[in-house]
Amino acid sequence: MQLTKILCAVDLSEHSRQVAQYAAMLAKSTGAQVIAIYTAPSLSQYVGFHVPPNTIENFVGEIVSGAEQSMETFVAENFAGLQVISKVLIGYAAEEIINRADEENVDMIVMGTHGRKGIDRILFGSVAEKVVKNAKQPVLTIRPAR
């Protein structure tokens, strides 16, 4: 088996640096390309809650343009010297990660977990868990350093 493409899913939190370090280490040792993605939430579920659709679209647009700038900086700081494509997607994170991994035909997914337990996990679910259960590719999950 050979790694030629690694999808690195980040949420641009502090923990994302640690996730990027693993993806970068793998890419350096194998010569793989990194596809770094961030998924902005789609707020379409709020249309109809007395919020005009154009207001939501504008808000999502601002989130995406801010995320694109943040990703540019993040990639420059964490993937210097590597072959990297960065993308900001809109939607549900687990679905977007799985779909992009398939579309890009990646060999591995590297992503973080939030290490939530108990009621937090029940309420928020785990994006990482959904990706691990549903992705065709191997998934390397990185827990936050304590």
Side-chain angles (χ1 to χ4, degrees), residues 20-79:
Q21 284 175 344
Y22 279 92
M25 177 184 60
L26 285 166
K28 279 180 189 142
S29 66
T30 62
Q33 175 188 43
V34 175
I35 298 164
I37 66 164
Y38 168 80
T39 305
S42 161
L43 301 177
S44 58
Q45 69 263 33
Y46 295 107
V47 172
F49 281 100
H50 309 293
V51 182
N54 62 333
T55 305
I56 290 172
E57 283 169 26
N58 291 343
F59 186 59
V60 170
E62 286 176 33
I63 290 171
V64 169
S65 65
E68 283 170 348
Q69 289 173 352
S70 297
M71 276 295 276
E72 214 171 285
T73 304
F74 183 84
V75 165
E77 290 173 355
N78 294 282
F79 297 111

Side-chain angles (χ1 to χ4, degrees), residues 18-139:
Q18 197 182 359
V19 173
Q21 284 175 344
Y22 279 92
M25 177 184 60
L26 285 166
K28 279 180 189 142
S29 66
T30 62
Q33 175 188 43
V34 175
I35 298 164
I37 66 164
Y38 168 80
T39 305
S42 161
L43 301 177
S44 58
Q45 69 263 33
Y46 295 107
V47 172
F49 281 100
H50 309 293
V51 182
N54 62 333
T55 305
I56 290 172
E57 283 169 26
N58 291 343
F59 186 59
V60 170
E62 286 176 33
I63 290 171
V64 169
S65 65
E68 283 170 348
Q69 289 173 352
S70 297
M71 276 295 276
E72 214 171 285
T73 304
F74 183 84
V75 165
E77 290 173 355
N78 294 282
F79 297 111
L82 293 171
Q83 189 186 352
V84 185
I85 296 170
S86 81
K87 297 180 191 247
V88 174
L89 309 172
I90 301 169
Y92 178 64
E95 259 174 47
E96 294 299 326
I97 292 165
I98 291 165
N99 291 342
R100 186 55 53 144
D102 290 344
E103 285 166 23
E104 297 283 352
N105 202 21
V106 303
D107 304 300
M108 175 180 265
I109 299 169
V110 179
M111 65 185 298
T113 70
H114 285 288
R116 288 192 176 107
K117 289 186 170 73
I119 195 74
D120 267 2
R121 183 163 176 176
I122 292 164
L123 292 175
F124 298 109
S126 165
V127 171
E129 185 179 7
K130 288 177 179 106
V131 172
V132 167
K133 283 182 177 173
N134 297 296
K136 296 178 186 109
Q137 304 81 356
V139 182

